[in-house]
Amino acid sequence: MVRLDAKPADQAYELRELVAAETGRISAESGRLRSLAVTSGKGGVGKSSISANLALALGRLGKRVALLDADLGLANLDLLLGVTSRYNLAHVIRGERRLEEILVEVDKGVLIVPGGVGMADIADLDPRRQLALIESLSVLDSMADILIIDTGAGLHRTVVSFCLAADSVLLLTTPEPAAVRDCYGMLKVLAFSGGTGIDVNLLVNMASSDEKAASVASRVQMAAAQFLEISVPYAGYVLRDEAVRRAAETSRPFFIYQPGCAASQCVKWIASRLAKAEPSGELPPKAVAGRGVKAFLFRLAKRLTRSG
């Protein structure tokens, strides 16, 4: 019997027991949806802006995208996209709303899942309620091809948990020395926590040129190979563009505000690569044990409970 007042240690033990019973079924029910966590080592590198505009670019390429706001501090994706959300995931966790009632359509093929502080509440649920919630959220598997998770910035355990639960990670930096340093710090934590099975891709934002971006990426890749013994593919770069600032002042994503600007063209190129990168025979190690929203949330619940 499940005790609703179970201590964290008891919750972790019971969740492990339930994991043993559920893992095979979840793997068998694995969906095709790919989860992509967008993160950074520090704030101010444009992480949420890239998440929002990348989702829009993927939507315009015919992909169905669910954008999960998992930044427990700011949770400002709705503002960046120029929409308002009355409810968020906390209402679903409390049983006040169904998932379908909190979703907001921001563009053709693009849905936002307002998360915010509600995501952290998953760790406070007893194991069976966690599994029931995961089951209810798995409806997203039939609604989207890609789940983009806009995490918080920095090395907080919750941010790391989101990254390690996702199929892939898009790690952002800018050419600024402090951003590069913190980017490597995040990469180091992910490598030590997730081992060689992590799939981390590097994106350089606010670059003055493609040459500058390539130089930054090369330094990070060389350090990762030499000291962490991992490969970090270069996902691309986004040029510094005045249109990005002007778009933010109008509460509109720059991909919609000025589709032809340099930043929009960069994001479109990255999106086209992601859209074509549906792996066949090259699934990340985590994905072998299950793809889709249910598998992602299952891994997330285990990590949040274990680290709580």
Side-chain angles (χ1 to χ4, degrees):
M1 178 176 294
V2 177
R3 288 169 37 214
L4 296 181
D5 61 344
K7 297 179 181 179
D10 296 329
Q11 288 188 16
Y13 172 78
E14 185 165 4
L15 186 57
R16 286 195 297 270
E17 293 295 301
L18 290 173
V19 166
E22 292 284 316
T23 298
R25 183 174 69 82
I26 288 180
S27 180
E29 294 178 358
S30 176
R32 290 301 306 166
L33 178 144
R34 174 186 178 186
S35 53
L36 174 68
V38 181
T39 194
S40 60
K42 67 183 294 292
V45 302
K47 172 186 56 61
S48 294
S49 176
I50 292 298
S51 296
N53 286 278
L54 184 58
L56 292 168
L58 284 164
R60 296 296 174 92
L61 291 174
K63 291 293 183 180
R64 299 175 303 162
V65 184
L67 184 56
L68 173 61
D69 193 346
D71 189 331
L72 308 188
L74 294 177
N76 63 347
L77 272 181
D78 52 350
L79 298 177
L80 285 171
L81 289 162
V83 298
T84 56
S85 53
R86 184 176 180 183
Y87 305 110
N88 59 43
L89 199 56
H91 295 91
V92 178
I93 292 173
R94 293 195 296 264
E96 299 170 3
R97 288 290 183 275
R98 293 179 295 108
L99 179 66
E100 297 90 326
E101 295 178 283
I102 73 168
L103 298 175
V104 180
E105 185 174 18
V106 296
D107 199 48
K108 183 178 180 180
V110 181
L111 298 170
I112 184 172
V113 186
V117 294
M119 294 303 300
D121 294 341
I122 294 177
D124 297 327
L125 300 176
D126 68 74
R128 293 189 185 278
R129 288 173 64 197
Q130 282 184 351
L131 292 176
L133 175 66
I134 290 169
E135 192 72 34
S136 70
L137 296 181
S138 64
V139 66
L140 279 176
D141 272 325
S142 64
M143 303 174 70
D145 305 307
I146 300 175
L147 173 67
I148 295 180
I149 306 123
D150 180 39
T151 75
L155 304 181
H156 191 276
R157 66 173 182 83
T158 305
V159 175
V160 175
S161 293
F162 275 107
C163 292
L164 295 177
D167 294 320
S168 304
V169 178
L170 188 61
L171 177 60
L172 267 66
T173 186
T174 68
E176 296 297 322
V180 176
R181 179 198 63 210
D182 291 342
C183 170
Y184 178 77
M186 172 61 82
L187 191 57
K188 184 176 180 180
V189 170
L190 293 176
F192 287 172
S193 302
T196 58
I198 62 170
D199 178 28
V200 182
N201 301 269
L202 181 66
L203 187 151
V204 180
N205 193 25
M206 305 181 196
S208 57
S209 66
D210 57 348
E211 293 87 356
K212 180 64 175 179
S215 174
V216 170
S218 179
R219 294 205 308 271
V220 174
Q221 289 174 313
M222 289 177 63
Q226 181 176 355
F227 301 111
L228 305 178
E229 299 183 344
I230 60 172
S231 173
V232 183
Y234 181 32
Y237 64 93
V238 177
L239 291 171
R240 183 177 294 278
D241 193 333
E242 182 64 19
V244 175
R245 183 189 62 79
R246 293 198 302 267
E249 291 175 349
T250 63
S251 297
R252 297 171 67 191
F254 63 80
F255 190 80
I256 300 297
Y257 175 78
Q258 196 168 329
C261 73
S264 292
Q265 293 303 304
C266 290
V267 167
K268 184 176 180 180
W269 184 83
I270 295 168
S272 67
R273 291 191 66 192
L274 283 175
K276 295 174 183 176
E278 192 60 34
S280 56
E282 297 182 359
L283 291 174
K286 279 179 295 189
V288 175
R291 288 284 293 271
V293 172
K294 185 181 294 186
F296 161 70
L297 290 171
F298 198 59
R299 291 189 293 262
L300 177 64
K302 286 192 293 181
R303 288 195 170 276
L304 289 178
T305 301
R306 186 165 59 215
S307 60

